[in-house]
Amino acid sequence: MNKYSLIIAMSFLYPMTSLAECNPIATLCKNTTLGLLNQVEMVNSGDESSHLLLNGKEIYKAKTSYMVVSNDEGIFKNKKYLITKATISYVSEDPCFPEKPASRCGINMVLDLTSGKPVISNAFFSENGESQITWVSWGKANSIIVIDDELRFKYANGHVERITKDKNSSTGSDGGK
């Protein structure tokens, strides 16, 4: 084989080998400091749940059509961006409030990869339905997360807690599960 044939063959093979790590049924494929993060949506999972996989191993599953991994923070290593922290958001197929069985809400969590293993925080959400994350300030000791109804949450050491009081209540429940 001459060198031109080899170059042409490699140009076709390189994209296939570089994408070989991504799950073929995954809708999300992101590089992290701990490996490859894939999402398998409910339509492809066969079990009425969506799944997050890290290096092919399940790290989280939820009864939802799909999950969104966003608001990520990361580092650059060898000219490649690697996620260290991110938020996970989805609309739950299960009711969030026992007193309102037909209601659904937007569930949010933090995915933290800084400790050398994947840590997924407790769920947090608004009592007002399907709120979305509007702002995140990632910090080393703790992080602040704001959702669109102006509720603020603090993430530290694998746990999220609400730091603003509920406008409808003087007690200010923590709003999470």
Side-chain angles (χ1 to χ4, degrees):
M1 182 182 267
N2 67 32
K3 70 178 181 178
Y4 296 112
S5 298
L6 182 62
I7 292 171
I8 291 171
M10 291 303 291
S11 68
F12 287 112
L13 291 175
Y14 178 74
M16 287 186 269
T17 57
S18 66
L19 295 176
E21 296 174 350
C22 292
N23 185 325
I25 60 171
T27 55
L28 166 88
C29 184
K30 293 190 176 197
N31 290 307
T32 75
T33 53
L34 299 181
L36 200 61
L37 181 67
N38 286 298
Q39 180 201 151
V40 178
E41 292 182 349
M42 179 190 292
V43 70
N44 294 323
S45 72
D47 68 354
E48 297 188 14
S49 294
S50 289
H51 304 260
L52 284 179
L53 311 171
L54 184 61
N55 299 321
K57 292 183 180 178
E58 182 178 281
I59 59 170
Y60 188 76
K61 98 179 199 179
K63 193 171 179 182
T64 186
S65 297
Y66 64 93
M67 292 180 255
V68 176
V69 177
S70 60
N71 303 304
D72 57 77
E73 176 180 74
I75 59 170
F76 282 95
K77 189 173 183 181
N78 299 328
K79 298 182 182 180
K80 190 184 265 187
Y81 182 72
L82 304 174
I83 295 172
T84 56
K85 292 181 188 171
T87 59
I88 302 168
S89 302
Y90 62 91
V91 175
S92 176
E93 295 290 331
D94 291 326
C96 297
F97 309 104
E99 66 278 4
K100 303 178 202 172
S103 68
R104 296 181 353 167
C105 63
I107 301 286
N108 303 292
M109 295 173 294
V110 172
L111 170 63
D112 188 345
L113 305 169
T114 59
S115 70
K117 62 180 181 163
V119 174
I120 298 179
S121 75
N122 55 303
F124 61 100
F125 53 90
S126 168
E127 290 86 2
N128 300 321
E130 297 180 25
S131 293
Q132 297 177 5
I133 295 173
T134 57
W135 182 77
V136 177
S137 174
W138 295 114
K140 288 192 184 275
N142 62 57
S143 302
I144 303 297
I145 304 162
V146 179
I147 58 179
D148 60 12
D149 54 4
E150 299 181 19
L151 290 176
R152 292 179 182 266
F153 297 85
K154 179 174 91 173
Y155 169 77
N157 300 322
H159 183 73
V160 175
E161 67 178 283
R162 193 161 105 187
I163 56 175
T164 54
K165 294 190 183 237
D166 186 355
K167 295 175 186 176
N168 301 324
S169 160
S170 60
T171 60
S173 67
D174 77 351
K177 281 187 173 175

